[in-house]
Amino acid sequence: AQTVTQSQPEMSVQEAETVTLSCTYDTSESDYYLFWYKQPPSRQMILVIRQEAYKQQNATENRFSVNFQKAAKSFSLKISDSQLGDAAMYFCAYRSQEISSGSARQLTFGSGTQLTVLP
Amino acid sequence: DTGVSQDPRHKITKRGQNVTFRCDPISEHNRLYWYRQTLGQGPEFLTYFQNEAQLEKSRLLSDRFSAERPKGSFSTLEIQRTEQGDSAMYLCASRAGGRAVFDNEQFFGPGTRLTVL
């Protein structure tokens, strides 16, 4: 079974500064997907960024980028130019590559990192 | 609003009562998931539907839990004889089928927060 570990329960960053959230995972699979989700208070979870394991290039989405180290099984999220609206719980998640058309491909989540953005 | 919706948003019940939650996925999504999220933790997978068929169930889904998706559209999750340990946020997610990259994303609903007294 796959596991996802987020070792930083809480992080804070000054507005306009850069912050990095850590995530490690454990798997014996070679093909998989990794995700960062954002869950604002009392609001639904939204996808921030995703990475396919077969791609060596790190994914980027505007101010969000990842550092994917497949050998080390590490998948960190960097938020540049932090904004007040970035304050939320961030979850790292893993999903297997599809085995068959009926495969669930459910997400395995870490325990989350609560990000506070200081004005 | 074309996103995933869940009803109710909050439910308070007494131990031993039955509760039922509803999820309406994005209309063109044939895959639907239920997750449970306890305080301070990430969501944990409960069960998965492809159209109306329930194809996978987690060991977390005890026999007091039952989920249905009768016409392959909305889904219900029922908890019988609720226990205090059932207190959690119950999240629904949906995604489209297919193997293209854009089909990989699961879209989440706002969740139903259950409190068992």
Short mmCIF file of all heavy atoms in Angstrom, two decimals, chain B residues 19-71:
data_model
loop_
_atom_site.label_atom_id
_atom_site.label_comp_id
_atom_site.label_asym_id
_atom_site.label_seq_id
_atom_site.Cartn_x
_atom_site.Cartn_y
_atom_site.Cartn_z
N VAL B 19 -28.34 8.18 9.36
CA VAL B 19 -28.22 9.41 8.59
C VAL B 19 -27.95 9.05 7.13
O VAL B 19 -27.37 8.00 6.83
CB VAL B 19 -27.09 10.33 9.10
CG1 VAL B 19 -27.42 10.86 10.49
CG2 VAL B 19 -25.76 9.62 9.08
N THR B 20 -28.37 9.93 6.24
CA THR B 20 -28.14 9.74 4.81
C THR B 20 -27.66 11.04 4.20
O THR B 20 -28.22 12.10 4.46
CB THR B 20 -29.42 9.28 4.09
OG1 THR B 20 -29.87 8.05 4.66
CG2 THR B 20 -29.15 9.08 2.60
N PHE B 21 -26.60 10.93 3.41
CA PHE B 21 -26.05 12.09 2.71
C PHE B 21 -26.22 11.88 1.22
O PHE B 21 -26.20 10.75 0.72
CB PHE B 21 -24.55 12.23 3.01
CG PHE B 21 -24.19 12.17 4.46
CD1 PHE B 21 -23.05 11.50 4.86
CD2 PHE B 21 -24.98 12.77 5.43
CE1 PHE B 21 -22.71 11.43 6.19
CE2 PHE B 21 -24.64 12.70 6.77
CZ PHE B 21 -23.50 12.02 7.15
N ARG B 22 -26.30 13.01 0.50
CA ARG B 22 -26.46 12.95 -0.94
C ARG B 22 -25.32 13.68 -1.62
O ARG B 22 -24.84 14.71 -1.14
CB ARG B 22 -27.79 13.57 -1.35
CG ARG B 22 -27.99 13.64 -2.86
CD ARG B 22 -29.31 14.23 -3.25
NE ARG B 22 -29.38 14.48 -4.67
CZ ARG B 22 -30.36 14.03 -5.45
NH1 ARG B 22 -31.34 13.29 -4.96
NH2 ARG B 22 -30.37 14.31 -6.75
N CYS B 23 -24.90 13.15 -2.77
CA CYS B 23 -23.90 13.79 -3.60
C CYS B 23 -24.40 13.86 -5.03
O CYS B 23 -24.85 12.85 -5.59
CB CYS B 23 -22.59 13.01 -3.55
SG CYS B 23 -21.37 13.55 -4.78
N ASP B 24 -24.32 15.04 -5.61
CA ASP B 24 -24.62 15.22 -7.03
C ASP B 24 -23.33 15.56 -7.76
O ASP B 24 -22.78 16.65 -7.56
CB ASP B 24 -25.66 16.32 -7.24
CG ASP B 24 -27.05 15.88 -6.83
OD1 ASP B 24 -27.40 16.05 -5.64
OD2 ASP B 24 -27.75 15.34 -7.69
N PRO B 25 -22.82 14.64 -8.58
CA PRO B 25 -21.55 14.89 -9.25
C PRO B 25 -21.72 15.84 -10.43
O PRO B 25 -22.84 16.22 -10.79
CB PRO B 25 -21.16 13.49 -9.74
CG PRO B 25 -22.48 12.82 -10.00
CD PRO B 25 -23.41 13.34 -8.93
N ILE B 26 -20.62 16.21 -11.03
CA ILE B 26 -20.65 16.95 -12.28
C ILE B 26 -21.34 16.07 -13.31
O ILE B 26 -21.06 14.87 -13.40
CB ILE B 26 -19.23 17.34 -12.71
CG1 ILE B 26 -18.66 18.34 -11.70
CG2 ILE B 26 -19.20 17.90 -14.12
CD1 ILE B 26 -17.20 18.66 -11.87
N SER B 27 -22.24 16.64 -14.08
CA SER B 27 -23.20 15.85 -14.86
C SER B 27 -22.55 14.87 -15.83
O SER B 27 -23.04 13.76 -16.01
CB SER B 27 -24.15 16.77 -15.60
OG SER B 27 -23.43 17.63 -16.46
N GLU B 28 -21.46 15.21 -16.44
CA GLU B 28 -20.87 14.30 -17.42
C GLU B 28 -19.86 13.32 -16.81
O GLU B 28 -19.26 12.53 -17.52
CB GLU B 28 -20.19 15.10 -18.54
CG GLU B 28 -19.05 15.98 -18.10
CD GLU B 28 -19.49 17.40 -17.78
OE1 GLU B 28 -20.68 17.59 -17.41
OE2 GLU B 28 -18.65 18.31 -17.87
N HIS B 29 -19.70 13.35 -15.50
CA HIS B 29 -18.75 12.46 -14.83
C HIS B 29 -19.42 11.14 -14.46
O HIS B 29 -20.43 11.12 -13.75
CB HIS B 29 -18.21 13.12 -13.56
CG HIS B 29 -17.24 14.22 -13.82
ND1 HIS B 29 -16.61 14.91 -12.81
CD2 HIS B 29 -16.79 14.75 -14.98
CE1 HIS B 29 -15.81 15.81 -13.34
NE2 HIS B 29 -15.90 15.75 -14.65
N ASN B 30 -18.84 10.04 -14.92
CA ASN B 30 -19.44 8.75 -14.61
C ASN B 30 -18.76 8.05 -13.43
O ASN B 30 -19.19 7.00 -13.00
CB ASN B 30 -19.41 7.84 -15.85
CG ASN B 30 -18.01 7.46 -16.27
OD1 ASN B 30 -17.03 8.12 -15.93
ND2 ASN B 30 -17.90 6.37 -17.02
N ARG B 31 -17.68 8.64 -12.90
CA ARG B 31 -16.99 8.03 -11.77
C ARG B 31 -17.20 8.90 -10.53
O ARG B 31 -17.08 10.12 -10.60
CB ARG B 31 -15.50 7.90 -12.06
CG ARG B 31 -15.23 6.76 -13.07
CD ARG B 31 -14.58 7.27 -14.33
NE ARG B 31 -14.62 6.33 -15.43
CZ ARG B 31 -13.65 5.46 -15.72
NH1 ARG B 31 -12.61 5.37 -14.91
NH2 ARG B 31 -13.74 4.71 -16.78
N LEU B 32 -17.50 8.24 -9.43
CA LEU B 32 -17.84 8.96 -8.20
C LEU B 32 -17.18 8.29 -7.01
O LEU B 32 -17.13 7.06 -6.91
CB LEU B 32 -19.37 8.97 -8.03
CG LEU B 32 -19.94 9.79 -6.87
CD1 LEU B 32 -21.28 10.41 -7.26
CD2 LEU B 32 -20.08 8.98 -5.61
N TYR B 33 -16.67 9.12 -6.11
CA TYR B 33 -15.93 8.64 -4.94
C TYR B 33 -16.53 9.23 -3.67
O TYR B 33 -16.99 10.37 -3.66
CB TYR B 33 -14.47 9.11 -5.00
CG TYR B 33 -13.70 8.69 -6.22
CD1 TYR B 33 -13.88 9.34 -7.44
CD2 TYR B 33 -12.76 7.66 -6.15
CE1 TYR B 33 -13.16 8.97 -8.56
CE2 TYR B 33 -12.03 7.29 -7.27
CZ TYR B 33 -12.25 7.94 -8.47
OH TYR B 33 -11.53 7.57 -9.58
N TRP B 34 -16.44 8.46 -2.61
CA TRP B 34 -16.71 8.96 -1.27
C TRP B 34 -15.43 8.83 -0.45
O TRP B 34 -14.75 7.79 -0.48
CB TRP B 34 -17.82 8.17 -0.58
CG TRP B 34 -19.20 8.49 -1.07
CD1 TRP B 34 -19.94 7.78 -1.98
CD2 TRP B 34 -20.04 9.58 -0.65
NE1 TRP B 34 -21.17 8.36 -2.16
CE2 TRP B 34 -21.26 9.47 -1.35
CE3 TRP B 34 -19.89 10.63 0.27
CZ2 TRP B 34 -22.31 10.37 -1.18
CZ3 TRP B 34 -20.93 11.51 0.42
CH2 TRP B 34 -22.12 11.39 -0.28
N TYR B 35 -15.12 9.91 0.30
CA TYR B 35 -13.98 9.93 1.20
C TYR B 35 -14.48 10.39 2.57
O TYR B 35 -15.47 11.10 2.68
CB TYR B 35 -12.92 10.94 0.73
CG TYR B 35 -12.18 10.58 -0.52
CD1 TYR B 35 -12.71 10.90 -1.78
CD2 TYR B 35 -10.93 9.96 -0.48
CE1 TYR B 35 -12.02 10.60 -2.95
CE2 TYR B 35 -10.23 9.66 -1.64
CZ TYR B 35 -10.79 9.98 -2.87
OH TYR B 35 -10.11 9.68 -4.02
N ARG B 36 -13.73 10.04 3.59
CA ARG B 36 -14.01 10.52 4.94
C ARG B 36 -12.77 11.26 5.44
O ARG B 36 -11.64 10.79 5.28
CB ARG B 36 -14.32 9.37 5.89
CG ARG B 36 -14.68 9.81 7.30
CD ARG B 36 -15.07 8.63 8.16
NE ARG B 36 -13.92 7.80 8.48
CZ ARG B 36 -13.99 6.68 9.18
NH1 ARG B 36 -15.17 6.23 9.57
NH2 ARG B 36 -12.92 5.99 9.45
N GLN B 37 -13.00 12.42 6.05
CA GLN B 37 -11.92 13.25 6.56
C GLN B 37 -12.18 13.58 8.01
O GLN B 37 -13.13 14.29 8.34
CB GLN B 37 -11.78 14.54 5.73
CG GLN B 37 -10.61 15.40 6.13
CD GLN B 37 -10.48 16.65 5.29
OE1 GLN B 37 -11.40 17.05 4.59
NE2 GLN B 37 -9.33 17.28 5.34
N THR B 38 -11.33 13.08 8.88
CA THR B 38 -11.44 13.42 10.30
C THR B 38 -10.56 14.62 10.59
O THR B 38 -9.66 14.96 9.81
CB THR B 38 -11.05 12.23 11.19
OG1 THR B 38 -9.75 11.77 10.80
CG2 THR B 38 -12.05 11.09 11.03
N LEU B 39 -10.80 15.24 11.73
CA LEU B 39 -10.15 16.50 12.07
C LEU B 39 -8.63 16.36 12.07
O LEU B 39 -8.08 15.45 12.70
CB LEU B 39 -10.64 16.97 13.43
CG LEU B 39 -10.44 18.45 13.74
CD1 LEU B 39 -11.21 19.31 12.75
CD2 LEU B 39 -10.87 18.76 15.16
N GLY B 40 -7.96 17.22 11.33
CA GLY B 40 -6.51 17.21 11.32
C GLY B 40 -5.89 16.15 10.44
O GLY B 40 -4.67 15.96 10.45
N GLN B 41 -6.71 15.46 9.66
CA GLN B 41 -6.21 14.41 8.78
C GLN B 41 -6.60 14.66 7.34
O GLN B 41 -7.50 15.45 7.05
CB GLN B 41 -6.75 13.05 9.23
CG GLN B 41 -6.32 12.64 10.63
CD GLN B 41 -4.81 12.49 10.73
OE1 GLN B 41 -4.16 11.91 9.86
NE2 GLN B 41 -4.25 13.02 11.80
N GLY B 42 -5.95 13.97 6.44
CA GLY B 42 -6.34 14.02 5.05
C GLY B 42 -7.50 13.09 4.78
O GLY B 42 -7.78 12.18 5.58
N PRO B 43 -8.20 13.30 3.69
CA PRO B 43 -9.31 12.40 3.34
C PRO B 43 -8.85 10.97 3.15
O PRO B 43 -7.74 10.73 2.68
CB PRO B 43 -9.83 13.00 2.03
CG PRO B 43 -9.36 14.42 2.03
CD PRO B 43 -8.04 14.40 2.74
N GLU B 44 -9.74 10.04 3.52
CA GLU B 44 -9.47 8.60 3.32
C GLU B 44 -10.56 8.02 2.43
O GLU B 44 -11.75 8.29 2.64
CB GLU B 44 -9.45 7.88 4.66
CG GLU B 44 -8.35 8.31 5.61
CD GLU B 44 -8.50 7.65 6.97
OE1 GLU B 44 -9.42 8.04 7.70
OE2 GLU B 44 -7.70 6.75 7.29
N PHE B 45 -10.17 7.22 1.50
CA PHE B 45 -11.09 6.64 0.53
C PHE B 45 -12.07 5.68 1.21
O PHE B 45 -11.67 4.85 2.03
CB PHE B 45 -10.27 5.89 -0.53
CG PHE B 45 -11.08 5.04 -1.46
CD1 PHE B 45 -11.88 5.61 -2.43
CD2 PHE B 45 -11.02 3.65 -1.37
CE1 PHE B 45 -12.60 4.82 -3.30
CE2 PHE B 45 -11.75 2.86 -2.24
CZ PHE B 45 -12.54 3.44 -3.21
N LEU B 46 -13.34 5.81 0.83
CA LEU B 46 -14.36 4.89 1.33
C LEU B 46 -14.85 3.94 0.23
O LEU B 46 -14.85 2.73 0.40
CB LEU B 46 -15.56 5.67 1.88
CG LEU B 46 -15.34 6.45 3.18
CD1 LEU B 46 -16.61 7.19 3.56
CD2 LEU B 46 -14.89 5.52 4.30
N THR B 47 -15.31 4.53 -0.90
CA THR B 47 -15.89 3.68 -1.93
C THR B 47 -15.90 4.40 -3.27
O THR B 47 -15.76 5.62 -3.33
CB THR B 47 -17.31 3.24 -1.54
OG1 THR B 47 -17.78 2.22 -2.44
CG2 THR B 47 -18.29 4.40 -1.54
N TYR B 48 -16.09 3.61 -4.33
CA TYR B 48 -15.99 4.12 -5.70
C TYR B 48 -17.09 3.52 -6.57
O TYR B 48 -17.37 2.32 -6.50
CB TYR B 48 -14.63 3.74 -6.26
CG TYR B 48 -14.49 3.85 -7.77
CD1 TYR B 48 -14.48 5.09 -8.39
CD2 TYR B 48 -14.32 2.71 -8.55
CE1 TYR B 48 -14.31 5.20 -9.76
CE2 TYR B 48 -14.16 2.80 -9.92
CZ TYR B 48 -14.16 4.05 -10.53
OH TYR B 48 -14.00 4.14 -11.88
N PHE B 49 -17.70 4.37 -7.38
CA PHE B 49 -18.70 3.96 -8.34
C PHE B 49 -18.25 4.31 -9.75
O PHE B 49 -17.71 5.38 -9.99
CB PHE B 49 -20.03 4.69 -8.09
CG PHE B 49 -20.76 4.24 -6.87
CD1 PHE B 49 -20.47 4.80 -5.64
CD2 PHE B 49 -21.74 3.26 -6.94
CE1 PHE B 49 -21.14 4.39 -4.50
CE2 PHE B 49 -22.43 2.86 -5.81
CZ PHE B 49 -22.11 3.42 -4.59
N GLN B 50 -18.50 3.38 -10.64
CA GLN B 50 -18.37 3.68 -12.05
C GLN B 50 -19.77 3.48 -12.63
O GLN B 50 -20.28 2.36 -12.65
CB GLN B 50 -17.35 2.76 -12.72
CG GLN B 50 -17.04 3.13 -14.16
CD GLN B 50 -15.84 2.38 -14.70
OE1 GLN B 50 -14.81 2.29 -14.04
NE2 GLN B 50 -15.98 1.82 -15.88
N ASN B 51 -20.36 4.57 -13.08
CA ASN B 51 -21.79 4.57 -13.41
C ASN B 51 -22.56 4.12 -12.16
O ASN B 51 -22.34 4.67 -11.09
CB ASN B 51 -22.06 3.72 -14.63
CG ASN B 51 -21.30 4.22 -15.85
OD1 ASN B 51 -21.35 5.41 -16.18
ND2 ASN B 51 -20.56 3.33 -16.50
N GLU B 52 -23.43 3.12 -12.28
CA GLU B 52 -24.20 2.70 -11.11
C GLU B 52 -23.53 1.57 -10.34
O GLU B 52 -24.01 1.18 -9.27
CB GLU B 52 -25.61 2.27 -11.53
CG GLU B 52 -25.66 1.01 -12.38
CD GLU B 52 -25.41 1.27 -13.84
OE1 GLU B 52 -25.07 2.42 -14.20
OE2 GLU B 52 -25.54 0.31 -14.64
N ALA B 53 -22.44 1.07 -10.83
CA ALA B 53 -21.78 -0.07 -10.20
C ALA B 53 -20.78 0.37 -9.13
O ALA B 53 -19.91 1.21 -9.38
CB ALA B 53 -21.06 -0.90 -11.26
N GLN B 54 -20.93 -0.21 -7.94
CA GLN B 54 -19.98 0.04 -6.86
C GLN B 54 -18.83 -0.94 -7.02
O GLN B 54 -18.96 -2.12 -6.70
CB GLN B 54 -20.67 -0.13 -5.50
CG GLN B 54 -19.81 0.29 -4.33
CD GLN B 54 -20.56 0.21 -3.00
OE1 GLN B 54 -21.59 -0.46 -2.89
NE2 GLN B 54 -20.07 0.90 -1.99
N LEU B 55 -17.71 -0.46 -7.49
CA LEU B 55 -16.61 -1.34 -7.88
C LEU B 55 -15.56 -1.55 -6.80
O LEU B 55 -14.85 -2.56 -6.83
CB LEU B 55 -15.95 -0.83 -9.16
CG LEU B 55 -16.83 -0.79 -10.40
CD1 LEU B 55 -16.03 -0.36 -11.62
CD2 LEU B 55 -17.50 -2.13 -10.65
N GLU B 56 -15.42 -0.61 -5.91
CA GLU B 56 -14.42 -0.78 -4.86
C GLU B 56 -14.96 -0.23 -3.54
O GLU B 56 -15.67 0.78 -3.51
CB GLU B 56 -13.10 -0.08 -5.21
CG GLU B 56 -12.32 -0.79 -6.30
CD GLU B 56 -10.88 -0.35 -6.37
OE1 GLU B 56 -10.28 -0.04 -5.33
OE2 GLU B 56 -10.33 -0.33 -7.50
N LYS B 57 -14.59 -0.93 -2.47
CA LYS B 57 -14.95 -0.49 -1.12
C LYS B 57 -13.75 -0.62 -0.23
O LYS B 57 -13.06 -1.65 -0.23
CB LYS B 57 -16.10 -1.33 -0.57
CG LYS B 57 -17.43 -1.11 -1.27
CD LYS B 57 -18.59 -1.70 -0.49
CE LYS B 57 -18.61 -3.20 -0.53
NZ LYS B 57 -19.84 -3.74 0.09
N SER B 58 -13.49 0.40 0.56
CA SER B 58 -12.39 0.36 1.52
C SER B 58 -12.79 -0.47 2.73
O SER B 58 -13.98 -0.61 3.05
CB SER B 58 -12.06 1.79 1.95
OG SER B 58 -11.35 1.82 3.16
N ARG B 59 -11.78 -0.97 3.43
CA ARG B 59 -12.07 -1.69 4.69
C ARG B 59 -12.64 -0.74 5.74
O ARG B 59 -13.19 -1.16 6.75
CB ARG B 59 -10.81 -2.35 5.20
CG ARG B 59 -9.75 -1.41 5.69
CD ARG B 59 -8.50 -2.16 6.13
NE ARG B 59 -7.54 -1.30 6.81
CZ ARG B 59 -6.75 -0.43 6.20
NH1 ARG B 59 -6.81 -0.31 4.91
NH2 ARG B 59 -5.91 0.30 6.89
N LEU B 60 -12.51 0.58 5.50
CA LEU B 60 -13.11 1.56 6.41
C LEU B 60 -14.63 1.54 6.33
O LEU B 60 -15.31 2.01 7.25
CB LEU B 60 -12.62 2.97 6.07
CG LEU B 60 -11.14 3.27 6.27
CD1 LEU B 60 -10.84 4.69 5.79
CD2 LEU B 60 -10.76 3.12 7.74
N LEU B 61 -15.16 1.03 5.25
CA LEU B 61 -16.61 1.01 5.04
C LEU B 61 -17.19 -0.20 5.76
O LEU B 61 -17.35 -1.28 5.17
CB LEU B 61 -16.91 0.97 3.55
CG LEU B 61 -18.22 1.59 3.09
CD1 LEU B 61 -18.17 3.11 3.25
CD2 LEU B 61 -18.51 1.23 1.65
N SER B 62 -17.51 0.02 7.04
CA SER B 62 -18.06 -1.10 7.82
C SER B 62 -19.46 -1.44 7.33
O SER B 62 -20.04 -0.74 6.50
CB SER B 62 -18.10 -0.72 9.30
OG SER B 62 -19.19 0.16 9.55
N ASP B 63 -20.03 -2.51 7.89
CA ASP B 63 -21.35 -2.95 7.43
C ASP B 63 -22.46 -1.99 7.86
O ASP B 63 -23.60 -2.14 7.46
CB ASP B 63 -21.64 -4.38 7.89
CG ASP B 63 -21.50 -4.55 9.38
OD1 ASP B 63 -21.33 -3.52 10.10
OD2 ASP B 63 -21.52 -5.69 9.86
N ARG B 64 -22.12 -1.00 8.68
CA ARG B 64 -23.13 0.03 9.01
C ARG B 64 -23.24 1.08 7.91
O ARG B 64 -24.15 1.89 7.92
CB ARG B 64 -22.78 0.71 10.33
CG ARG B 64 -22.79 -0.22 11.54
CD ARG B 64 -22.56 0.56 12.83
NE ARG B 64 -21.24 1.19 12.85
CZ ARG B 64 -21.03 2.50 12.68
NH1 ARG B 64 -22.05 3.31 12.48
NH2 ARG B 64 -19.80 2.98 12.73
N PHE B 65 -22.30 1.07 7.00
CA PHE B 65 -22.27 2.04 5.91
C PHE B 65 -22.78 1.38 4.64
O PHE B 65 -22.41 0.24 4.32
CB PHE B 65 -20.84 2.52 5.66
CG PHE B 65 -20.28 3.44 6.71
CD1 PHE B 65 -20.00 2.97 7.99
CD2 PHE B 65 -20.01 4.76 6.41
CE1 PHE B 65 -19.49 3.81 8.96
CE2 PHE B 65 -19.47 5.61 7.38
CZ PHE B 65 -19.21 5.14 8.65
N SER B 66 -23.60 2.11 3.91
CA SER B 66 -24.01 1.63 2.59
C SER B 66 -24.09 2.81 1.64
O SER B 66 -24.53 3.89 2.01
CB SER B 66 -25.35 0.89 2.66
OG SER B 66 -26.36 1.77 3.08
N ALA B 67 -23.64 2.59 0.43
CA ALA B 67 -23.65 3.64 -0.58
C ALA B 67 -24.34 3.10 -1.82
O ALA B 67 -24.25 1.92 -2.15
CB ALA B 67 -22.23 4.09 -0.91
N GLU B 68 -25.04 3.99 -2.48
CA GLU B 68 -25.75 3.63 -3.70
C GLU B 68 -25.59 4.73 -4.74
O GLU B 68 -25.40 5.90 -4.40
CB GLU B 68 -27.25 3.43 -3.42
CG GLU B 68 -27.58 2.27 -2.53
CD GLU B 68 -29.08 2.10 -2.35
OE1 GLU B 68 -29.82 3.07 -2.63
OE2 GLU B 68 -29.51 1.02 -1.94
N ARG B 69 -25.76 4.32 -5.97
CA ARG B 69 -25.80 5.28 -7.08
C ARG B 69 -26.77 4.69 -8.11
O ARG B 69 -26.35 4.18 -9.14
CB ARG B 69 -24.42 5.50 -7.68
CG ARG B 69 -24.35 6.72 -8.56
CD ARG B 69 -22.98 6.89 -9.18
NE ARG B 69 -22.93 8.10 -9.98
CZ ARG B 69 -22.00 8.34 -10.89
NH1 ARG B 69 -21.04 7.45 -11.12
NH2 ARG B 69 -22.02 9.47 -11.57
N PRO B 70 -28.05 4.73 -7.79
CA PRO B 70 -29.05 3.93 -8.51
C PRO B 70 -29.15 4.17 -10.01
O PRO B 70 -29.39 3.26 -10.76
CB PRO B 70 -30.35 4.29 -7.79
CG PRO B 70 -30.08 5.56 -7.07
CD PRO B 70 -28.63 5.55 -6.73
N LYS B 71 -28.99 5.35 -10.47
CA LYS B 71 -29.14 5.61 -11.90
C LYS B 71 -27.85 6.14 -12.52
O LYS B 71 -27.85 6.70 -13.60
CB LYS B 71 -30.28 6.59 -12.14
CG LYS B 71 -31.65 6.06 -11.70
CD LYS B 71 -32.75 7.04 -12.02
CE LYS B 71 -34.11 6.49 -11.59
NZ LYS B 71 -35.22 7.44 -11.87
#
